[in-house]
Amino acid sequence: MFGNKKTNNTPLVKSPERFDTLIGRQTEIHGTLRVMQSVRIDGKLVGNIEAPKDQAITVVVGQEGEIQGDVIASRVIVAGKVSGNIDAHERVEMLASALVQGDVKYGSIAVEHGARLLGLLLQVDANGPQEPQNQAKDAIRKAQSAGVSE
């Protein structure tokens, strides 16, 4: 009944994904990183990470990793620090050691106890793209109406 059953939606499931690109702890990069395969950041990146929307690419920010910029990818897993917005078309995972200072757009999300977020959580609408300001207004309106009983 209360076993350790894991599903595909269970947070922080180990995946067989390969990371051919690794930014090491002693490395600092300045500029935009356009990736065509999954990447793990254990160092520091000052700039954005951009992955094509039509490819299942994962960006992992390790516990020592830091990104000062926006992250756009299918899946984003954060154990370190992101100072910028995250746009994950598929899934976002925030581990207990994560600090995200920016808005997070996601298809699905998993957050461990202790993760910190200074920004908005915005679920991606399946009906198509929407302006971030309109998404925020819609999310606030929906939250306010949920508290009103009819």
Short mmCIF file of all heavy atoms in Angstrom, two decimals, residues 70 85-87 103-105 120-123 128-140:
data_model
loop_
_atom_site.label_atom_id
_atom_site.label_comp_id
_atom_site.label_asym_id
_atom_site.label_seq_id
_atom_site.Cartn_x
_atom_site.Cartn_y
_atom_site.Cartn_z
N ASP A 70 18.03 32.50 -18.97
CA ASP A 70 16.83 31.70 -19.18
C ASP A 70 17.19 30.31 -19.70
O ASP A 70 18.21 30.14 -20.37
CB ASP A 70 15.89 32.39 -20.17
CG ASP A 70 15.38 33.73 -19.66
OD1 ASP A 70 15.41 33.95 -18.44
OD2 ASP A 70 14.96 34.55 -20.49
N ASN A 85 14.32 32.75 -16.10
CA ASN A 85 13.08 32.02 -16.33
C ASN A 85 13.37 30.63 -16.89
O ASN A 85 14.35 30.43 -17.61
CB ASN A 85 12.18 32.78 -17.30
CG ASN A 85 11.77 34.13 -16.74
OD1 ASN A 85 11.56 34.28 -15.54
ND2 ASN A 85 11.67 35.13 -17.61
N ILE A 86 12.50 29.68 -16.57
CA ILE A 86 12.59 28.32 -17.09
C ILE A 86 11.34 28.07 -17.92
O ILE A 86 10.23 28.31 -17.46
CB ILE A 86 12.70 27.28 -15.96
CG1 ILE A 86 14.00 27.46 -15.19
CG2 ILE A 86 12.59 25.86 -16.52
CD1 ILE A 86 14.14 26.56 -13.97
N ASP A 87 11.54 27.57 -19.14
CA ASP A 87 10.42 27.20 -20.01
C ASP A 87 10.64 25.74 -20.41
O ASP A 87 11.43 25.45 -21.30
CB ASP A 87 10.40 28.10 -21.24
CG ASP A 87 9.19 27.86 -22.14
OD1 ASP A 87 8.46 26.87 -21.92
OD2 ASP A 87 8.99 28.65 -23.07
N ASP A 103 10.43 32.99 -13.28
CA ASP A 103 9.17 32.28 -13.54
C ASP A 103 9.46 30.92 -14.17
O ASP A 103 10.42 30.76 -14.92
CB ASP A 103 8.28 33.11 -14.47
CG ASP A 103 7.86 34.43 -13.85
OD1 ASP A 103 7.98 34.57 -12.62
OD2 ASP A 103 7.41 35.31 -14.60
N VAL A 104 8.59 29.95 -13.86
CA VAL A 104 8.75 28.59 -14.37
C VAL A 104 7.50 28.21 -15.16
O VAL A 104 6.41 28.15 -14.60
CB VAL A 104 8.98 27.58 -13.21
CG1 VAL A 104 9.08 26.16 -13.75
CG2 VAL A 104 10.23 27.95 -12.42
N LYS A 105 7.67 27.95 -16.46
CA LYS A 105 6.59 27.44 -17.30
C LYS A 105 6.85 25.95 -17.46
O LYS A 105 7.97 25.54 -17.76
CB LYS A 105 6.59 28.13 -18.66
CG LYS A 105 6.11 29.57 -18.59
CD LYS A 105 6.26 30.32 -19.88
CE LYS A 105 5.63 29.65 -21.06
NZ LYS A 105 5.74 30.45 -22.31
N LEU A 120 6.87 32.92 -10.44
CA LEU A 120 5.56 32.32 -10.70
C LEU A 120 5.71 30.93 -11.30
O LEU A 120 6.67 30.66 -12.01
CB LEU A 120 4.77 33.17 -11.71
CG LEU A 120 4.36 34.57 -11.27
CD1 LEU A 120 3.75 35.32 -12.44
CD2 LEU A 120 3.38 34.51 -10.11
N LEU A 121 4.75 30.06 -11.00
CA LEU A 121 4.64 28.77 -11.66
C LEU A 121 3.50 28.90 -12.67
O LEU A 121 2.38 29.23 -12.31
CB LEU A 121 4.30 27.67 -10.66
CG LEU A 121 5.41 27.26 -9.69
CD1 LEU A 121 4.88 26.27 -8.67
CD2 LEU A 121 6.57 26.66 -10.45
N LEU A 122 3.80 28.64 -13.94
CA LEU A 122 2.80 28.78 -14.99
C LEU A 122 2.73 27.49 -15.79
O LEU A 122 3.69 27.13 -16.48
CB LEU A 122 3.17 29.94 -15.93
CG LEU A 122 3.37 31.30 -15.25
CD1 LEU A 122 4.05 32.27 -16.17
CD2 LEU A 122 2.03 31.84 -14.80
N GLN A 123 1.60 26.78 -15.70
CA GLN A 123 1.47 25.55 -16.46
C GLN A 123 1.23 25.89 -17.92
O GLN A 123 0.44 26.76 -18.26
CB GLN A 123 0.33 24.70 -15.93
CG GLN A 123 0.28 23.35 -16.59
CD GLN A 123 -0.69 22.40 -15.92
OE1 GLN A 123 -1.66 22.83 -15.32
NE2 GLN A 123 -0.42 21.12 -16.03
N GLY A 128 -2.09 26.10 -27.01
CA GLY A 128 -1.16 26.88 -27.82
C GLY A 128 -0.45 27.93 -27.00
O GLY A 128 -0.72 28.11 -25.81
N PRO A 129 0.49 28.63 -27.65
CA PRO A 129 1.28 29.62 -26.94
C PRO A 129 0.44 30.82 -26.51
O PRO A 129 -0.56 31.16 -27.15
CB PRO A 129 2.34 30.04 -27.96
CG PRO A 129 1.78 29.68 -29.29
CD PRO A 129 0.84 28.52 -29.05
N GLN A 130 0.85 31.42 -25.43
CA GLN A 130 0.15 32.57 -24.90
C GLN A 130 1.20 33.53 -24.35
O GLN A 130 2.27 33.11 -23.92
CB GLN A 130 -0.79 32.11 -23.77
CG GLN A 130 -1.79 33.12 -23.34
CD GLN A 130 -2.72 32.53 -22.27
OE1 GLN A 130 -2.40 31.59 -21.59
NE2 GLN A 130 -3.89 33.13 -22.15
N GLU A 131 0.92 34.80 -24.39
CA GLU A 131 1.85 35.78 -23.84
C GLU A 131 2.04 35.54 -22.35
O GLU A 131 1.05 35.28 -21.65
CB GLU A 131 1.32 37.20 -24.06
CG GLU A 131 1.34 37.63 -25.52
CD GLU A 131 2.74 37.71 -26.07
OE1 GLU A 131 3.63 38.23 -25.39
OE2 GLU A 131 2.95 37.22 -27.20
N PRO A 132 3.28 35.63 -21.82
CA PRO A 132 3.51 35.39 -20.40
C PRO A 132 2.67 36.26 -19.48
O PRO A 132 2.19 35.79 -18.46
CB PRO A 132 5.00 35.69 -20.23
CG PRO A 132 5.59 35.49 -21.58
CD PRO A 132 4.51 35.87 -22.55
N GLN A 133 2.45 37.54 -19.85
CA GLN A 133 1.65 38.42 -19.01
C GLN A 133 0.21 37.92 -18.94
O GLN A 133 -0.41 37.93 -17.88
CB GLN A 133 1.67 39.84 -19.54
CG GLN A 133 3.00 40.54 -19.33
CD GLN A 133 2.99 41.94 -19.90
OE1 GLN A 133 2.26 42.24 -20.84
NE2 GLN A 133 3.80 42.79 -19.32
N ASN A 134 -0.33 37.46 -20.07
CA ASN A 134 -1.70 36.93 -20.09
C ASN A 134 -1.78 35.64 -19.29
O ASN A 134 -2.77 35.39 -18.61
CB ASN A 134 -2.18 36.71 -21.52
CG ASN A 134 -2.38 38.00 -22.27
OD1 ASN A 134 -2.52 39.06 -21.66
ND2 ASN A 134 -2.37 37.94 -23.58
N GLN A 135 -0.74 34.79 -19.38
CA GLN A 135 -0.72 33.55 -18.60
C GLN A 135 -0.74 33.86 -17.12
O GLN A 135 -1.47 33.23 -16.36
CB GLN A 135 0.53 32.74 -18.91
CG GLN A 135 0.40 31.84 -20.09
CD GLN A 135 1.59 30.92 -20.20
OE1 GLN A 135 2.71 31.30 -19.89
NE2 GLN A 135 1.34 29.72 -20.65
N ALA A 136 0.05 34.83 -16.69
CA ALA A 136 0.10 35.19 -15.27
C ALA A 136 -1.25 35.73 -14.82
O ALA A 136 -1.75 35.35 -13.77
CB ALA A 136 1.21 36.22 -15.02
N LYS A 137 -1.85 36.60 -15.63
CA LYS A 137 -3.16 37.16 -15.28
C LYS A 137 -4.21 36.07 -15.19
O LYS A 137 -5.03 36.05 -14.27
CB LYS A 137 -3.57 38.23 -16.30
CG LYS A 137 -2.77 39.51 -16.19
CD LYS A 137 -3.17 40.48 -17.26
CE LYS A 137 -2.28 41.71 -17.25
NZ LYS A 137 -2.56 42.61 -18.36
N ASP A 138 -4.19 35.13 -16.16
CA ASP A 138 -5.15 34.01 -16.14
C ASP A 138 -4.95 33.14 -14.91
O ASP A 138 -5.91 32.70 -14.28
CB ASP A 138 -5.02 33.17 -17.40
CG ASP A 138 -5.58 33.86 -18.63
OD1 ASP A 138 -6.28 34.89 -18.48
OD2 ASP A 138 -5.30 33.37 -19.75
N ALA A 139 -3.68 32.88 -14.55
CA ALA A 139 -3.39 32.04 -13.37
C ALA A 139 -3.87 32.72 -12.10
O ALA A 139 -4.46 32.06 -11.23
CB ALA A 139 -1.89 31.76 -13.29
N ILE A 140 -3.66 34.02 -11.98
CA ILE A 140 -4.11 34.76 -10.80
C ILE A 140 -5.64 34.77 -10.74
O ILE A 140 -6.23 34.53 -9.69
CB ILE A 140 -3.54 36.20 -10.81
CG1 ILE A 140 -2.02 36.14 -10.58
CG2 ILE A 140 -4.21 37.07 -9.75
CD1 ILE A 140 -1.30 37.44 -10.84
#
